[in-house]
Amino acid sequence: DVGIFRRQPFSHKSSRNFPPVQSSIPIYKQTQNGIIKIEKISTIKHHNDPRLWLCNKGFVILVGKNETEQCLCPESYYGDQCQYQNQRVSLTIRLRQENLNKLNVIGIIIRLVDHTGFVHSYEQITYKSVINCNTKYNMHLLYQNRPKDMTKNYTIYIDAYYKINLIYLTSWIFPVKFLFMPVNRMSVQLKIPTKQNCHLLCSDKYLKSLTNDNTQSCRCSNRMNSISTLQNRCNCALDSICVGFKENRSICLCRLNKTGPQCYLNSICQMKNICMNNGICVPHDSRQSLNNFACVCPNGFSGELCEKTDVRIDISFSNVETPQSLLVHFINVVSHRDSSDKTEPIQVTMFKKILFNQKTITFNMSLPFHLVFVEFEHMYYLIVLQHYYTSSAVISTQISPSQRCPHIQEVLDEVKVEYPHLRRVKYYHTICQHRSDLTCFHDNYIFMCLCTEERHANCFHFNFNM
């Protein structure tokens, strides 16, 4: 007889549930009235209309009663049929923040300036580290004239401010090289500092030299006189910042509660008390919609409006030396009934630094999970196993030697450890049967295994390379 073996999905419910879950945290929510809903406008697409191919890189628009065809070109193209490329700087930016405070909202202004101080084009970015951590910002900075003036030197200035109070943070300077090229492509990753000390970078020699390897610079005192004079000529709102002019129009940086080209209009965050639990409301680009916004939630809260209370996990150390940092792996066991395509557990990892003499650390988790492993000094500990996920709960647990998940080299004889992987897995059940005190073990290669109450090995794929 030929036996047919079917792989069973991993289930955590065959192991003992621990620690006990405390009562949920009471939630005090603010009532929401009159939140503006964003509705999508239905459009009819005529796929067979030959006019769709009239414009090379743009869209066809019909003008007047006669519906005359005209091309609406993107900023990087021009011409009657969008057939010509604009000379430009194609810039890609990724931002990183040294300050781990996720409530920080940073305003970024990017300007393409020539050596006379004339601003050819500019862009603005509102950076939210908790939301835009991996976002790449792509933009096209155009020159004022076609073709560009080859006798001038061009520079990209990038300034960073806190959007809540418009306190200046830092600047970056990037000269545009190889002017003979019609399109200059630049890609940079910028680190936003916690605070900037400008004394070393504010010498006249540094400000005049754009070939310095250190491309970070500060808004220095010897330039503040020109900035104050600039503010007197600008028509931005008093509680905003004017950073220059473009075609006799002021370039204004608004606070979070203001919007518009001159920052005189109230944003949706000012008009509606939207975000709950002291969340920070951040309006999206006002050129797209006044109704778009995002809530940056404080620790312990999540959701689109910060209306959900996260699970809080308090971790203490028992007979284990406190490390300087650790990794916490949250495992969500996906039921095979809920997902027919993917039954492997979902792993989410968080990093935590531990202060000196800190005895207890706290994590807040907004995603559902069933298992929690802690990793430090190449050792793993199982600290939470819950059969059913409970939202808004408080879990108090500890890291102790009895919860450590040893490597198979510690619990399996040397001969079997050297077996090929597929042959060695067959003996994982014997580990749980011979060690009644064991709750988990791993091979540091593919599997993390739990010992069930019937003393069988219950294994799942685990990412050991975080």
Side-chain angles (χ1 to χ4, degrees):
D1 295 338
V2 179
I4 299 177
F5 297 92
R6 178 176 297 175
R7 181 177 179 269
Q8 296 295 325
F10 171 79
S11 175
H12 60 293
K13 296 180 181 179
S14 56
S15 299
R16 181 175 57 87
N17 191 79
F18 75 93
V21 178
Q22 299 180 15
S23 59
S24 301
I25 303 172
I27 306 174
Y28 301 98
K29 295 184 178 180
Q30 306 165 359
T31 58
Q32 300 299 304
N33 296 318
I35 295 178
I36 301 176
K37 296 182 179 180
I38 303 171
E39 298 181 357
K40 294 183 179 180
I41 301 175
S42 59
T43 58
I44 301 176
K45 298 181 179 180
H46 302 279
H47 296 284
N48 298 324
D49 195 331
R51 293 177 297 184
L52 290 176
W53 307 103
L54 178 64
C55 303
N56 179 34
K57 294 290 184 179
F59 297 96
V60 178
I61 58 175
L62 305 179
V63 180
K65 296 182 179 180
N66 297 328
E67 295 188 349
T68 305
E69 297 96 348
Q70 291 187 9
C71 290
L72 181 64
C73 303
E75 57 186 358
S76 54
Y77 287 85
Y78 71 99
D80 294 338
Q81 298 180 345
C82 306
Q83 69 272 35
Y84 303 117
Q85 281 202 59
N86 265 320
Q87 291 182 325
R88 64 190 185 275
V89 178
S90 292
L91 180 63
T92 300
I93 295 178
R94 174 178 282 179
L95 298 168
R96 289 288 186 268
Q97 189 173 354
E98 292 181 358
N99 189 343
L100 298 180
N101 183 4
K102 67 177 185 178
L103 292 179
N104 286 340
V105 181
I106 310 298
I108 307 291
I109 292 187
I110 303 100
R111 294 171 292 152
L112 176 62
V113 186
D114 62 30
H115 68 275
T116 65
F118 181 81
V119 178
H120 289 250
S121 56
Y122 72 96
E123 291 286 345
Q124 291 195 31
I125 295 173
T126 299
Y127 175 72
K128 307 168 286 292
S129 60
V130 69
I131 300 175
N132 308 124
C133 179
N134 294 318
T135 301
K136 290 183 179 180
Y137 298 94
N138 301 304
M139 61 198 71
H140 301 293
L141 301 174
L142 306 183
Y143 298 96
Q144 177 71 13
N145 300 317
R146 304 191 193 103
K148 61 187 173 186
D149 190 346
M150 298 289 291
T151 63
K152 294 182 178 180
N153 296 323
Y154 300 92
T155 306
I156 294 177
Y157 288 87
I158 304 177
D159 301 321
Y161 297 82
Y162 284 121
K163 282 283 284 186
I164 296 178
N165 49 21
L166 297 184
I167 293 178
Y168 171 78
L169 272 173
T170 188
S171 294
W172 298 268
I173 298 175
F174 298 98
V176 179
K177 302 178 181 179
F178 311 113
L179 292 179
F180 61 88
M181 299 179 64
V183 179
N184 292 84
R185 303 186 187 277
M186 300 176 62
S187 180
V188 294
Q189 178 167 299
L190 307 177
K191 286 187 177 181
I192 302 174
T194 304
K195 58 181 179 179
Q196 182 66 276
N197 185 351
C198 300
H199 295 293
L200 296 178
L201 300 181
C202 284
S203 64
D204 292 335
K205 182 178 179 180
Y206 176 81
L207 293 175
K208 292 179 181 179
S209 174
L210 298 180
T211 59
N212 196 304
D213 291 336
N214 185 359
T215 55
Q216 287 190 343
S217 65
C218 288
R219 300 288 294 272
C220 306
S221 58
N222 51 1
R223 288 194 290 175
M224 288 303 172
N225 292 331
S226 61
I227 293 175
S228 60
T229 304
L230 184 68
Q231 293 282 5
N232 295 331
R233 295 192 293 120
C234 281
N235 52 7
C236 301
L238 294 178
D239 57 350
S240 64
I241 289 181
C242 181
V243 296
F245 295 93
K246 175 68 171 67
E247 297 177 349
N248 295 324
R249 294 183 179 180
S250 302
I251 303 174
C252 305
L253 178 64
C254 307
R255 293 175 182 264
L256 285 178
N257 58 349
K258 295 292 183 178
T259 187
Q262 299 174 2
C263 306
Y264 282 106
L265 302 177
N266 290 331
S267 69
I268 185 174
C269 296
Q270 180 73 8
M271 294 184 290
K272 300 287 183 181
N273 188 16
I274 297 174
C275 300
M276 305 180 188
N277 298 307
N278 296 321
I280 297 178
C281 178
V282 181
H284 287 178
D285 193 341
S286 58
R287 293 172 295 181
Q288 300 174 4
S289 172
L290 279 175
N291 299 342
N292 287 340
F293 66 93
C295 290
V296 179
C297 304
N299 288 330
F301 298 96
S302 60
E304 292 185 1
L305 303 177
C306 306
E307 75 279 9
K308 299 178 182 178
T309 302
D310 298 341
V311 174
R312 193 184 80 197
I313 304 178
D314 298 324
I315 305 174
S316 59
F317 296 87
S318 176
N319 298 323
V320 175
E321 186 176 352
T322 305
Q324 295 181 350
S325 62
L326 51 78
L327 293 174
V328 181
H329 306 281
F330 295 87
I331 308 297
N332 179 21
V333 182
V334 181
S335 173
H336 64 281
R337 296 179 180 178
D338 299 334
S339 176
S340 58
D341 297 331
K342 183 177 180 181
T343 57
E344 287 296 333
I346 300 173
Q347 179 175 340
V348 176
T349 300
M350 298 176 64
F351 173 79
K352 184 77 171 182
K353 286 187 176 181
I354 303 176
L355 302 177
F356 182 71
N357 285 336
Q358 186 177 0
K359 301 300 182 182
T360 303
I361 56 176
T362 299
F363 282 86
N364 294 291
M365 189 58 179
S366 59
L367 301 176
F369 64 91
H370 301 95
L371 306 171
V372 181
F373 293 89
V374 169
E375 175 190 354
F376 59 91
E377 297 178 356
H378 305 291
M379 293 186 292
Y380 295 85
Y381 296 82
L382 175 62
I383 62 171
V384 174
L385 192 158
Q386 54 179 356
H387 292 171
Y388 301 98
Y389 170 72
T390 304
S391 61
S392 306
V394 178
I395 302 175
S396 296
T397 185
Q398 63 179 3
I399 302 174
S400 63
S402 62
Q403 295 167 287
R404 189 172 73 90
C405 305
H407 191 273
I408 57 172
Q409 291 179 347
E410 303 177 41
V411 292
L412 197 63
D413 63 72
E414 297 179 357
V415 177
K416 294 176 182 177
V417 168
E418 298 300 326
Y419 284 168
H421 173 68
L422 292 178
R423 184 181 178 187
R424 185 181 64 216
V425 169
K426 297 190 299 181
Y427 297 94
Y428 282 4
H429 287 296
T430 62
I431 297 176
C432 296
Q433 294 168 0
H434 295 162
R435 292 283 302 271
S436 60
D437 61 327
L438 206 61
T439 58
C440 55
F441 63 91
H442 67 92
D443 58 12
N444 202 28
Y445 176 58
I446 294 180
F447 288 121
M448 177 70 74
C449 300
L450 305 180
C451 288
T452 67
E453 293 185 301
E454 291 79 15
R455 308 315 298 169
H456 294 141
N458 194 6
C459 303
F460 64 95
H461 286 86
F462 188 89
N463 186 0
F464 293 94
N465 298 319
M466 297 299 293

